[in-house]
Amino acid sequence: MSAHSMLCERIAIAKELIKRAESLSRSRKGGIEGGAKLCSKLKAELKFLQKVEAGKVAIKESHLQSTNLTHLRAIVDSAENLEEVVSVLHVFGYTDPLGEKQTLVVDVVANGGHTWVKAIGRKAEALHNIWLGRGQYGDKSIIEQAEDFLQASHQQPVQYSNPHIIFAFYNSVSSPMAEKLKEMGISVRGDIVAVNSLLDHPEELHLSESESDDEGPELLQVTRVDRENILASIAFPTEIKVDVCKRVNLDITTLITYVSALSYGGCHFIFKEKVLTEQAEQERKEQVLPQLEAFMKDKELFACESAVKDFQSILDTLGGPGERERATMLIKQINVVPDQPSERALKLVASSKINSRSLTIFGTGDTLKAITMTANSGFVRAANNQGVKFSVFIHQPRALTESKEALATPLPK
């Protein structure tokens, strides 16, 4: 293929990938985090290629073959093949074995955060050679990168489970490398190709002293990737098994929302209080109770004593008869446990968003290894800003309104 033909092909690919990336970003309500970053990287690549086409930049043919497009295309392909993609090109911070702060870019975060994908566009030969120490100085092998992923994932649990890691190879991977990754607990996707011994081809055997050293995988040191010999082709699993957390911790805001008259059809009013009218309008657009019930289904329900005590106090002051009756039924389904905030929750510095009551409730959920259901997104953000990430299910708030209905204006039916 001529350099001009290759350039035209690369430009067409870049344009197509931009469309796919934009479509991907719109595929999730509220967008996919990092979607704009992915699109801007693709647009930068296209702009560069168009400059080459216009004769403004002179590059060698080899540069056209090694553009970032291969990697970016692998990211788009990966994201399109997975469910519940929440972010792309996400940067995670972690501490390495020496105690140094490091960052790691995860190409695709899917399954609501439970799956991390590294998309790899480099050819199997190059990856295999780097692993065997035949790459350029400073090249990090895929196995070393896998160790970084494992280290980071153990420090970023999602609902108390470590994310599952997939390495997706778009230009094949050698069978010894694939085996090593599987031993480490990493899933491999792509074509797994054979390796041939160079001892059968002495004319190609030029080993340096370091490569013929006794240390390291001696047999692998004299191998060559055979891309024609595909041993297995592994597609993305359509459904990745996730360890779902079966414990739920109910915050006061959730207890109130669950029993609120607004959640049971009492949303067709204009209330004297603006905030209640707004919540009623939200409820007419999107019912919150079905979301709560779907999440709570088949799970063990917990609430700490402080949450139940304060909920009861609010109910005694503001609750109507229907709301109180529903509250009695709800409390019977819940395991009420002593306050037991976790150590990391207690380390949080108090602020306008972080008070002792919230610390106790979220901290108890953390100790129980339960997901805290809450409408208090302010606390979750503030804690996150201090480096403490709680496992949460966030929903819209609903206040107790039954006793306010008498003074409210019913909406025409």
mmCIF file of all heavy atoms in Angstrom, residues 37-76:
data_model
loop_
_atom_site.group_PDB
_atom_site.id
_atom_site.type_symbol
_atom_site.label_atom_id
_atom_site.label_comp_id
_atom_site.label_asym_id
_atom_site.label_seq_id
_atom_site.Cartn_x
_atom_site.Cartn_y
_atom_site.Cartn_z
ATOM 1 N N LYS A 37 -12.854 13.249 26.495
ATOM 2 C CA LYS A 37 -11.388 13.130 26.381
ATOM 3 C C LYS A 37 -11.030 12.191 25.219
ATOM 4 O O LYS A 37 -10.130 12.470 24.428
ATOM 5 C CB LYS A 37 -10.828 12.571 27.692
ATOM 6 C CG LYS A 37 -9.303 12.675 27.805
ATOM 7 C CD LYS A 37 -8.710 11.726 28.854
ATOM 8 C CE LYS A 37 -9.099 12.078 30.262
ATOM 9 N NZ LYS A 37 -8.382 11.209 31.253
ATOM 10 N N LEU A 38 -11.767 11.083 25.108
ATOM 11 C CA LEU A 38 -11.524 10.127 24.023
ATOM 12 C C LEU A 38 -11.780 10.780 22.665
ATOM 13 O O LEU A 38 -10.978 10.647 21.733
ATOM 14 C CB LEU A 38 -12.413 8.893 24.205
ATOM 15 C CG LEU A 38 -12.343 7.807 23.126
ATOM 16 C CD1 LEU A 38 -10.936 7.226 23.029
ATOM 17 C CD2 LEU A 38 -13.357 6.695 23.410
ATOM 18 N N CYS A 39 -12.890 11.512 22.576
ATOM 19 C CA CYS A 39 -13.230 12.200 21.313
ATOM 20 C C CYS A 39 -12.158 13.232 20.948
ATOM 21 O O CYS A 39 -11.771 13.349 19.782
ATOM 22 C CB CYS A 39 -14.594 12.888 21.424
ATOM 23 S SG CYS A 39 -15.972 11.724 21.485
ATOM 24 N N SER A 40 -11.666 13.981 21.937
ATOM 25 C CA SER A 40 -10.676 15.029 21.635
ATOM 26 C C SER A 40 -9.343 14.407 21.198
ATOM 27 O O SER A 40 -8.653 14.950 20.333
ATOM 28 C CB SER A 40 -10.474 15.965 22.831
ATOM 29 O OG SER A 40 -9.900 15.292 23.912
ATOM 30 N N LYS A 41 -8.991 13.246 21.766
ATOM 31 C CA LYS A 41 -7.764 12.560 21.332
ATOM 32 C C LYS A 41 -7.890 12.105 19.874
ATOM 33 O O LYS A 41 -6.948 12.214 19.094
ATOM 34 C CB LYS A 41 -7.491 11.341 22.228
ATOM 35 C CG LYS A 41 -6.819 11.678 23.557
ATOM 36 C CD LYS A 41 -6.606 10.422 24.380
ATOM 37 C CE LYS A 41 -5.896 10.729 25.689
ATOM 38 N NZ LYS A 41 -4.444 10.954 25.503
ATOM 39 N N LEU A 42 -9.076 11.595 19.518
ATOM 40 C CA LEU A 42 -9.311 11.155 18.144
ATOM 41 C C LEU A 42 -9.299 12.337 17.174
ATOM 42 O O LEU A 42 -8.741 12.256 16.077
ATOM 43 C CB LEU A 42 -10.651 10.411 18.052
ATOM 44 C CG LEU A 42 -10.648 8.985 18.604
ATOM 45 C CD1 LEU A 42 -12.069 8.505 18.865
ATOM 46 C CD2 LEU A 42 -9.939 8.029 17.641
ATOM 47 N N LYS A 43 -9.884 13.456 17.604
ATOM 48 C CA LYS A 43 -9.919 14.663 16.749
ATOM 49 C C LYS A 43 -8.511 15.222 16.539
ATOM 50 O O LYS A 43 -8.181 15.701 15.452
ATOM 51 C CB LYS A 43 -10.839 15.720 17.360
ATOM 52 C CG LYS A 43 -12.312 15.375 17.167
ATOM 53 C CD LYS A 43 -13.230 16.305 17.945
ATOM 54 C CE LYS A 43 -14.688 15.845 17.798
ATOM 55 N NZ LYS A 43 -15.589 16.606 18.687
ATOM 56 N N ALA A 44 -7.675 15.133 17.598
ATOM 57 C CA ALA A 44 -6.285 15.594 17.482
ATOM 58 C C ALA A 44 -5.529 14.727 16.476
ATOM 59 O O ALA A 44 -4.724 15.216 15.674
ATOM 60 C CB ALA A 44 -5.606 15.546 18.843
ATOM 61 N N GLU A 45 -5.821 13.420 16.509
ATOM 62 C CA GLU A 45 -5.180 12.479 15.584
ATOM 63 C C GLU A 45 -5.594 12.791 14.142
ATOM 64 O O GLU A 45 -4.768 12.806 13.229
ATOM 65 C CB GLU A 45 -5.604 11.055 15.968
ATOM 66 C CG GLU A 45 -4.634 9.980 15.575
ATOM 67 C CD GLU A 45 -3.298 10.035 16.295
ATOM 68 O OE1 GLU A 45 -3.230 10.513 17.435
ATOM 69 O OE2 GLU A 45 -2.305 9.607 15.673
ATOM 70 N N LEU A 46 -6.897 13.053 13.955
ATOM 71 C CA LEU A 46 -7.419 13.389 12.616
ATOM 72 C C LEU A 46 -6.793 14.690 12.098
ATOM 73 O O LEU A 46 -6.387 14.775 10.940
ATOM 74 C CB LEU A 46 -8.952 13.511 12.669
ATOM 75 C CG LEU A 46 -9.641 13.958 11.374
ATOM 76 C CD1 LEU A 46 -9.413 12.954 10.249
ATOM 77 C CD2 LEU A 46 -11.143 14.153 11.605
ATOM 78 N N LYS A 47 -6.701 15.676 13.004
ATOM 79 C CA LYS A 47 -6.140 16.981 12.622
ATOM 80 C C LYS A 47 -4.696 16.819 12.134
ATOM 81 O O LYS A 47 -4.283 17.398 11.139
ATOM 82 C CB LYS A 47 -6.190 17.915 13.842
ATOM 83 C CG LYS A 47 -5.938 19.373 13.520
ATOM 84 C CD LYS A 47 -6.142 20.203 14.782
ATOM 85 C CE LYS A 47 -5.807 21.665 14.519
ATOM 86 N NZ LYS A 47 -5.937 22.476 15.745
ATOM 87 N N PHE A 48 -3.938 15.979 12.861
ATOM 88 C CA PHE A 48 -2.546 15.731 12.486
ATOM 89 C C PHE A 48 -2.468 15.067 11.104
ATOM 90 O O PHE A 48 -1.684 15.466 10.243
ATOM 91 C CB PHE A 48 -1.874 14.852 13.547
ATOM 92 C CG PHE A 48 -0.509 14.368 13.152
ATOM 93 C CD1 PHE A 48 0.573 15.234 13.146
ATOM 94 C CD2 PHE A 48 -0.299 13.047 12.766
ATOM 95 C CE1 PHE A 48 1.843 14.793 12.770
ATOM 96 C CE2 PHE A 48 0.954 12.605 12.382
ATOM 97 C CZ PHE A 48 2.028 13.479 12.386
ATOM 98 N N LEU A 49 -3.311 14.052 10.886
ATOM 99 C CA LEU A 49 -3.310 13.338 9.603
ATOM 100 C C LEU A 49 -3.704 14.266 8.451
ATOM 101 O O LEU A 49 -3.170 14.168 7.344
ATOM 102 C CB LEU A 49 -4.254 12.135 9.669
ATOM 103 C CG LEU A 49 -3.825 10.987 10.595
ATOM 104 C CD1 LEU A 49 -4.964 9.998 10.787
ATOM 105 C CD2 LEU A 49 -2.592 10.269 10.047
ATOM 106 N N GLN A 50 -4.646 15.176 8.733
ATOM 107 C CA GLN A 50 -5.073 16.126 7.685
ATOM 108 C C GLN A 50 -3.964 17.122 7.351
ATOM 109 O O GLN A 50 -3.833 17.569 6.218
ATOM 110 C CB GLN A 50 -6.353 16.840 8.126
ATOM 111 C CG GLN A 50 -7.581 15.923 8.040
ATOM 112 C CD GLN A 50 -8.829 16.519 8.654
ATOM 113 O OE1 GLN A 50 -8.755 17.351 9.575
ATOM 114 N NE2 GLN A 50 -9.996 16.086 8.194
ATOM 115 N N LYS A 51 -3.142 17.449 8.359
ATOM 116 C CA LYS A 51 -1.989 18.337 8.118
ATOM 117 C C LYS A 51 -0.974 17.627 7.218
ATOM 118 O O LYS A 51 -0.374 18.241 6.337
ATOM 119 C CB LYS A 51 -1.316 18.713 9.447
ATOM 120 C CG LYS A 51 -1.985 19.869 10.171
ATOM 121 C CD LYS A 51 -1.185 20.231 11.410
ATOM 122 C CE LYS A 51 -1.824 21.389 12.152
ATOM 123 N NZ LYS A 51 -1.086 21.691 13.397
ATOM 124 N N VAL A 52 -0.791 16.333 7.472
ATOM 125 C CA VAL A 52 0.119 15.532 6.639
ATOM 126 C C VAL A 52 -0.406 15.507 5.207
ATOM 127 O O VAL A 52 0.337 15.713 4.239
ATOM 128 C CB VAL A 52 0.249 14.088 7.185
ATOM 129 C CG1 VAL A 52 1.111 13.235 6.243
ATOM 130 C CG2 VAL A 52 0.848 14.090 8.585
ATOM 131 N N GLU A 53 -1.723 15.315 5.068
ATOM 132 C CA GLU A 53 -2.366 15.252 3.747
ATOM 133 C C GLU A 53 -2.200 16.570 2.991
ATOM 134 O O GLU A 53 -1.980 16.591 1.779
ATOM 135 C CB GLU A 53 -3.857 14.933 3.921
ATOM 136 C CG GLU A 53 -4.568 14.666 2.610
ATOM 137 C CD GLU A 53 -6.065 14.431 2.801
ATOM 138 O OE1 GLU A 53 -6.664 15.068 3.695
ATOM 139 O OE2 GLU A 53 -6.634 13.620 2.063
ATOM 140 N N ALA A 54 -2.266 17.674 3.743
ATOM 141 C CA ALA A 54 -2.161 18.999 3.114
ATOM 142 C C ALA A 54 -0.697 19.378 2.836
ATOM 143 O O ALA A 54 -0.414 20.461 2.305
ATOM 144 C CB ALA A 54 -2.809 20.048 4.014
ATOM 145 N N GLY A 55 0.226 18.505 3.230
ATOM 146 C CA GLY A 55 1.635 18.783 2.975
ATOM 147 C C GLY A 55 2.276 19.705 3.991
ATOM 148 O O GLY A 55 3.399 20.184 3.795
ATOM 149 N N LYS A 56 1.563 19.961 5.100
ATOM 150 C CA LYS A 56 2.112 20.875 6.123
ATOM 151 C C LYS A 56 3.087 20.165 7.061
ATOM 152 O O LYS A 56 3.879 20.791 7.743
ATOM 153 C CB LYS A 56 0.968 21.484 6.946
ATOM 154 C CG LYS A 56 0.094 22.433 6.132
ATOM 155 C CD LYS A 56 -1.064 22.947 6.964
ATOM 156 C CE LYS A 56 -1.982 23.836 6.117
ATOM 157 N NZ LYS A 56 -3.189 24.234 6.853
ATOM 158 N N VAL A 57 2.969 18.837 7.140
ATOM 159 C CA VAL A 57 3.868 18.056 7.998
ATOM 160 C C VAL A 57 4.429 16.910 7.175
ATOM 161 O O VAL A 57 3.681 16.203 6.506
ATOM 162 C CB VAL A 57 3.106 17.472 9.225
ATOM 163 C CG1 VAL A 57 4.067 16.679 10.116
ATOM 164 C CG2 VAL A 57 2.440 18.560 10.030
ATOM 165 N N ALA A 58 5.746 16.755 7.210
ATOM 166 C CA ALA A 58 6.372 15.646 6.472
ATOM 167 C C ALA A 58 6.708 14.537 7.454
ATOM 168 O O ALA A 58 7.390 14.771 8.449
ATOM 169 C CB ALA A 58 7.643 16.149 5.784
ATOM 170 N N ILE A 59 6.181 13.354 7.206
ATOM 171 C CA ILE A 59 6.516 12.203 8.070
ATOM 172 C C ILE A 59 6.841 10.986 7.219
ATOM 173 O O ILE A 59 6.489 10.914 6.041
ATOM 174 C CB ILE A 59 5.367 11.850 9.049
ATOM 175 C CG1 ILE A 59 4.100 11.413 8.296
ATOM 176 C CG2 ILE A 59 5.085 12.949 10.020
ATOM 177 C CD1 ILE A 59 3.093 10.721 9.188
ATOM 178 N N LYS A 60 7.524 10.040 7.847
ATOM 179 C CA LYS A 60 7.870 8.802 7.148
ATOM 180 C C LYS A 60 6.666 7.870 7.124
ATOM 181 O O LYS A 60 5.776 7.972 7.971
ATOM 182 C CB LYS A 60 9.032 8.110 7.877
ATOM 183 C CG LYS A 60 10.329 8.894 7.834
ATOM 184 C CD LYS A 60 11.387 8.178 8.658
ATOM 185 C CE LYS A 60 12.677 8.988 8.686
ATOM 186 N NZ LYS A 60 13.667 8.388 9.595
ATOM 187 N N GLU A 61 6.716 6.939 6.187
ATOM 188 C CA GLU A 61 5.621 5.960 6.055
ATOM 189 C C GLU A 61 5.471 5.139 7.339
ATOM 190 O O GLU A 61 4.355 4.816 7.768
ATOM 191 C CB GLU A 61 5.918 5.033 4.875
ATOM 192 C CG GLU A 61 4.757 4.118 4.513
ATOM 193 C CD GLU A 61 5.059 3.279 3.278
ATOM 194 O OE1 GLU A 61 5.693 3.805 2.338
ATOM 195 O OE2 GLU A 61 4.647 2.109 3.282
ATOM 196 N N SER A 62 6.614 4.823 7.992
ATOM 197 C CA SER A 62 6.575 4.018 9.225
ATOM 198 C C SER A 62 5.787 4.725 10.328
ATOM 199 O O SER A 62 5.145 4.094 11.162
ATOM 200 C CB SER A 62 7.987 3.730 9.718
ATOM 201 O OG SER A 62 8.664 4.950 9.981
ATOM 202 N N HIS A 63 5.821 6.080 10.341
ATOM 203 C CA HIS A 63 5.079 6.850 11.343
ATOM 204 C C HIS A 63 3.578 6.687 11.154
ATOM 205 O O HIS A 63 2.810 6.703 12.114
ATOM 206 C CB HIS A 63 5.451 8.335 11.289
ATOM 207 C CG HIS A 63 6.838 8.596 11.758
ATOM 208 N ND1 HIS A 63 7.524 9.748 11.450
ATOM 209 C CD2 HIS A 63 7.680 7.848 12.514
ATOM 210 C CE1 HIS A 63 8.731 9.689 11.994
ATOM 211 N NE2 HIS A 63 8.848 8.553 12.647
ATOM 212 N N LEU A 64 3.158 6.536 9.902
ATOM 213 C CA LEU A 64 1.720 6.351 9.632
ATOM 214 C C LEU A 64 1.214 5.039 10.221
ATOM 215 O O LEU A 64 0.074 4.931 10.637
ATOM 216 C CB LEU A 64 1.467 6.337 8.116
ATOM 217 C CG LEU A 64 1.398 7.693 7.413
ATOM 218 C CD1 LEU A 64 1.190 7.485 5.930
ATOM 219 C CD2 LEU A 64 0.298 8.555 7.995
ATOM 220 N N GLN A 65 2.102 4.045 10.215
ATOM 221 C CA GLN A 65 1.698 2.733 10.718
ATOM 222 C C GLN A 65 1.607 2.720 12.250
ATOM 223 O O GLN A 65 0.918 1.894 12.821
ATOM 224 C CB GLN A 65 2.706 1.668 10.261
ATOM 225 C CG GLN A 65 2.644 1.443 8.762
ATOM 226 C CD GLN A 65 3.736 0.497 8.289
ATOM 227 O OE1 GLN A 65 4.858 0.548 8.762
ATOM 228 N NE2 GLN A 65 3.409 -0.363 7.341
ATOM 229 N N SER A 66 2.329 3.625 12.891
ATOM 230 C CA SER A 66 2.372 3.578 14.356
ATOM 231 C C SER A 66 1.694 4.792 15.005
ATOM 232 O O SER A 66 2.177 5.325 15.981
ATOM 233 C CB SER A 66 3.828 3.493 14.825
ATOM 234 O OG SER A 66 4.537 4.630 14.368
ATOM 235 N N THR A 67 0.607 5.255 14.423
ATOM 236 C CA THR A 67 -0.130 6.361 15.051
ATOM 237 C C THR A 67 -0.886 5.832 16.269
ATOM 238 O O THR A 67 -1.024 4.629 16.458
ATOM 239 C CB THR A 67 -1.157 6.983 14.074
ATOM 240 O OG1 THR A 67 -2.138 5.993 13.779
ATOM 241 C CG2 THR A 67 -0.513 7.488 12.812
ATOM 242 N N ASN A 68 -1.394 6.758 17.085
ATOM 243 C CA ASN A 68 -2.175 6.383 18.273
ATOM 244 C C ASN A 68 -3.522 5.774 17.906
ATOM 245 O O ASN A 68 -4.234 5.277 18.772
ATOM 246 C CB ASN A 68 -2.437 7.616 19.154
ATOM 247 C CG ASN A 68 -1.161 8.127 19.773
ATOM 248 O OD1 ASN A 68 -0.252 7.345 20.040
ATOM 249 N ND2 ASN A 68 -1.074 9.426 19.978
ATOM 250 N N LEU A 69 -3.878 5.855 16.635
ATOM 251 C CA LEU A 69 -5.194 5.369 16.200
ATOM 252 C C LEU A 69 -5.430 3.912 16.570
ATOM 253 O O LEU A 69 -6.540 3.532 16.932
ATOM 254 C CB LEU A 69 -5.344 5.501 14.675
ATOM 255 C CG LEU A 69 -5.927 6.801 14.124
ATOM 256 C CD1 LEU A 69 -6.194 6.646 12.647
ATOM 257 C CD2 LEU A 69 -7.196 7.194 14.860
ATOM 258 N N THR A 70 -4.366 3.093 16.489
ATOM 259 C CA THR A 70 -4.518 1.663 16.780
ATOM 260 C C THR A 70 -5.018 1.470 18.208
ATOM 261 O O THR A 70 -5.943 0.704 18.462
ATOM 262 C CB THR A 70 -3.168 0.932 16.596
ATOM 263 O OG1 THR A 70 -2.601 1.339 15.359
ATOM 264 C CG2 THR A 70 -3.360 -0.565 16.596
ATOM 265 N N HIS A 71 -4.393 2.196 19.143
ATOM 266 C CA HIS A 71 -4.780 2.083 20.553
ATOM 267 C C HIS A 71 -6.174 2.663 20.789
ATOM 268 O O HIS A 71 -7.015 2.055 21.464
ATOM 269 C CB HIS A 71 -3.749 2.785 21.437
ATOM 270 C CG HIS A 71 -4.078 2.696 22.888
ATOM 271 N ND1 HIS A 71 -4.139 3.796 23.703
ATOM 272 C CD2 HIS A 71 -4.405 1.632 23.671
ATOM 273 C CE1 HIS A 71 -4.480 3.405 24.933
ATOM 274 N NE2 HIS A 71 -4.645 2.113 24.936
ATOM 275 N N LEU A 72 -6.432 3.825 20.201
ATOM 276 C CA LEU A 72 -7.743 4.476 20.396
ATOM 277 C C LEU A 72 -8.866 3.623 19.796
ATOM 278 O O LEU A 72 -9.953 3.530 20.367
ATOM 279 C CB LEU A 72 -7.735 5.880 19.774
ATOM 280 C CG LEU A 72 -6.755 6.871 20.413
ATOM 281 C CD1 LEU A 72 -6.687 8.158 19.606
ATOM 282 C CD2 LEU A 72 -7.148 7.187 21.857
ATOM 283 N N ARG A 73 -8.566 3.002 18.671
ATOM 284 C CA ARG A 73 -9.558 2.109 18.043
ATOM 285 C C ARG A 73 -9.849 0.919 18.968
ATOM 286 O O ARG A 73 -10.996 0.490 19.110
ATOM 287 C CB ARG A 73 -9.008 1.614 16.706
ATOM 288 C CG ARG A 73 -9.970 0.769 15.900
ATOM 289 C CD ARG A 73 -9.255 0.259 14.659
ATOM 290 N NE ARG A 73 -10.178 -0.163 13.626
ATOM 291 C CZ ARG A 73 -9.821 -0.452 12.378
ATOM 292 N NH1 ARG A 73 -8.556 -0.346 12.017
ATOM 293 N NH2 ARG A 73 -10.702 -0.837 11.493
ATOM 294 N N ALA A 74 -8.790 0.391 19.604
ATOM 295 C CA ALA A 74 -8.947 -0.730 20.535
ATOM 296 C C ALA A 74 -9.822 -0.329 21.725
ATOM 297 O O ALA A 74 -10.642 -1.120 22.211
ATOM 298 C CB ALA A 74 -7.577 -1.202 21.018
ATOM 299 N N ILE A 75 -9.688 0.913 22.181
ATOM 300 C CA ILE A 75 -10.509 1.402 23.309
ATOM 301 C C ILE A 75 -11.983 1.459 22.896
ATOM 302 O O ILE A 75 -12.869 0.990 23.620
ATOM 303 C CB ILE A 75 -10.030 2.789 23.784
ATOM 304 C CG1 ILE A 75 -8.622 2.696 24.392
ATOM 305 C CG2 ILE A 75 -11.009 3.390 24.813
ATOM 306 C CD1 ILE A 75 -7.988 4.030 24.724
ATOM 307 N N VAL A 76 -12.243 2.033 21.704
ATOM 308 C CA VAL A 76 -13.631 2.137 21.222
ATOM 309 C C VAL A 76 -14.235 0.743 21.047
ATOM 310 O O VAL A 76 -15.360 0.479 21.490
ATOM 311 C CB VAL A 76 -13.696 2.944 19.892
ATOM 312 C CG1 VAL A 76 -15.111 2.926 19.316
ATOM 313 C CG2 VAL A 76 -13.255 4.398 20.125
#
